[in-house]
Amino acid sequence: MKKTVRVGGVTLGGGHIAVQSMTTEKTSDVEKSVAQILRLERAGCEIVRVAVLDEIDARAIFAIKEQIHIPVVADIHFSARLAVVAAEAGADKLRVNPGNMSMEDIARVADCVKAHRISVRVGANSGSIERSCFQKYGRSARALVESTLAYAAAFERLGVEDLVLAAKASDVPTTVDAYTMLASRCSYPLHIGVTEAGAGRSGVVKSSVGIGALLLKGIGDTIRVSLSADPVEEVYAAHEILRACGLERDYVEVVSCPTCGRCEYDCIALAERVNERVRSVKKRLKVAVMGCVVNGPGEAQDCDLGIAGGKDYCMIFEGEERTRVKSEEAACVFLSRLDKLLEQAEK
Ligand code: SF4
């Protein structure tokens, strides 16, 4: 049976897939960290991780937590002492890499999480495979899994039960293989993601393929899209992945065509504006932005609001109502209809 683990007010392992991200500000800069976390919250982030490099970072967690609304994970390397300070400052979960800690330090972290009744994420990524696993299996999915399970076993022996495991690689096939193996060998909640996925389009695609492949197999309890970008983009991408996998239903689905030589109005610009406007709306609605009459009316009629382009004129569909508008006015009229629809839905 799957274990559940609490991270502040969020439960991992109970069926809900929590979206998480990590701040890029210095944790010691409380003002900037809080501002970034509040932006992440508005984008839909449910758990946030902060880097703890020293005691000033660790202590800052207390002031940060007073001004935000989601649980904080302290990301710590090399030091059990910082883990203790972060837990005392109110961290809801620790993320440690036992591969870079002594057994004595691991025991200290274990005592700390038990005393504060918080959870801990352990695991390996391609760059931190446990030495004997690396010697035996090289830099492989098997090595990641054996390392992660060895780290988990070390904490289990010390009486820690609230564990979240991760075994990330920076390439998709290894990540998918590792988590598939890990899921078959443990019942702990899994933090999934493709580590260091990269920047922009390639990072989003790598994360989507890796995380999506796992979610579709029912693997994963919390996701982090790792991008070399503003972390808010990670959160947007994570929600898009959940939606594409059918795991998030309260959102505005936008159907839009790629356009072709038949399109006679700026359908792509309108689709972009619509996407931007509905991005954070948590209502189950469907909107279509279509280029022409070939597939336009068919798609648009099935939606709460739709538009199909034509020669000189566009047709707007809303329920049984049809409105013919000049192509140059179409975007403006459509967006104001969209605003009204969103307003009604929010009531
Ligand atoms: S709906 Fe019309 S404009 Fe859009 S891709 Fe199809 S044929 Fe082209």
Side-chain angles (χ1 to χ4, degrees):
M1 185 155 150
K2 186 122 193 173
K3 285 182 188 249
T4 56
V5 168
R6 287 187 70 74
V7 182
V10 178
T11 300
L12 302 182
H16 171 72
I17 318 287
V19 168
Q20 58 175 288
S21 184
M22 185 166 182
T23 56
T24 52
E25 300 292 356
K26 297 277 174 223
T27 305
S28 54
D29 190 330
V30 173
E31 199 179 329
K32 283 188 177 168
S33 296
V34 166
Q36 191 170 53
I37 295 169
L38 292 178
R39 283 201 308 122
L40 289 166
E41 285 184 13
R42 283 193 291 276
C45 183
E46 297 169 274
I47 298 172
V48 68
R49 187 151 48 109
V50 299
V52 174
L53 280 69
D54 54 29
E55 278 201 33
I56 304 172
D57 285 337
R59 290 191 202 290
I61 290 173
F62 181 80
I64 290 171
K65 278 202 65 175
E66 287 203 315
Q67 301 172 68
I68 64 165
H69 315 90
I70 55 177
V72 172
V73 181
D75 186 276
I76 293 155
H77 291 274
F78 312 112
S79 168
R81 182 179 51 83
L82 292 181
V84 173
V85 179
E88 283 169 355
D92 298 285
K93 179 175 160 214
L94 302 178
R95 184 264 169 138
V96 296
N97 185 343
N100 55 36
M101 284 181 166
S102 66
M103 261 327 287
E104 200 180 314
D105 274 353
I106 292 173
R108 256 183 101 185
V109 173
D111 286 344
C112 164
V113 296
K114 284 187 291 181
H116 289 273
R117 295 170 181 252
I118 58 175
S119 48
V120 58
R121 193 237 294 184
V122 297
N125 62 27
S126 339
S128 61
I129 294 170
E130 194 265 336
R131 196 182 306 155
S132 69
C133 296
F134 182 71
Q135 281 165 353
K136 224 167 166 183
Y137 305 110
R139 211 173 291 287
S140 64
R142 180 77 191 270
L144 282 169
V145 172
E146 299 299 342
S147 284
T148 300
L149 291 174
Y151 296 150
F155 276 94
E156 282 166 354
R157 283 194 294 275
L158 293 162
V160 177
E161 293 175 356
D162 290 338
L163 290 167
V164 178
L165 304 190
K168 296 180 181 181
S170 54
D171 74 274
V172 172
T174 309
T175 300
V176 173
D177 286 351
Y179 278 103
T180 305
M181 237 184 273
L182 193 55
S184 71
R185 292 181 57 188
C186 78
S187 54
Y188 291 113
L190 299 182
H191 166 116
I192 64 169
V194 178
T195 195
E196 298 132 13
R201 191 179 302 150
S202 71
V204 172
V205 170
K206 269 172 94 173
S207 296
S208 306
V209 174
I211 294 172
L214 290 164
L215 290 176
L216 289 171
K217 293 193 211 190
I219 297 170
D221 302 284
T222 177
I223 64 177
R224 195 250 170 133
V225 174
S226 301
L227 295 179
S228 311
D230 180 342
V232 166
E233 292 304 319
E234 300 186 345
V235 176
Y236 286 140
H239 282 286
E240 292 296 344
I241 294 170
L242 290 174
R243 291 165 185 181
C245 290
L247 294 167
E248 187 173 301
R249 300 198 178 275
D250 287 337
Y251 71 100
V252 183
E253 183 181 355
V254 181
V255 178
S256 61
C257 81
T259 80
C260 66
R262 292 183 190 87
C263 185
E264 306 228 22
Y265 80 111
D266 199 349
C267 175
I268 292 177
L270 179 58
E272 280 170 1
R273 289 176 75 182
V274 168
N275 270 300
E276 195 55 44
R277 213 165 271 205
V278 303
R279 211 174 212 182
S280 303
V281 178
K282 295 203 176 316
K283 293 288 166 191
R284 199 169 177 180
L285 295 169
K286 196 170 173 185
V287 174
V289 182
M290 301 295 291
C292 80
V293 290
V294 173
N295 293 318
E299 286 287 359
Q301 281 172 61
D302 278 349
C303 294
D304 297 283
L305 181 67
I307 183 167
K311 187 153 176 51
D312 302 327
Y313 289 89
C314 292
M315 190 66 83
I316 295 177
F317 301 76
E318 192 169 9
E320 296 299 308
E321 197 185 322
R322 308 280 178 272
T323 313
R324 198 165 170 257
V325 289
K326 284 186 185 160
S327 296
E328 61 266 28
E329 294 166 7
C332 185
V333 175
F334 189 76
L335 290 170
S336 93
R337 291 278 188 98
L338 178 63
D339 284 343
K340 273 195 197 137
L341 178 72
L342 299 179
E343 219 173 275
Q344 279 163 8
E346 297 285 0
K347 275 183 188 165

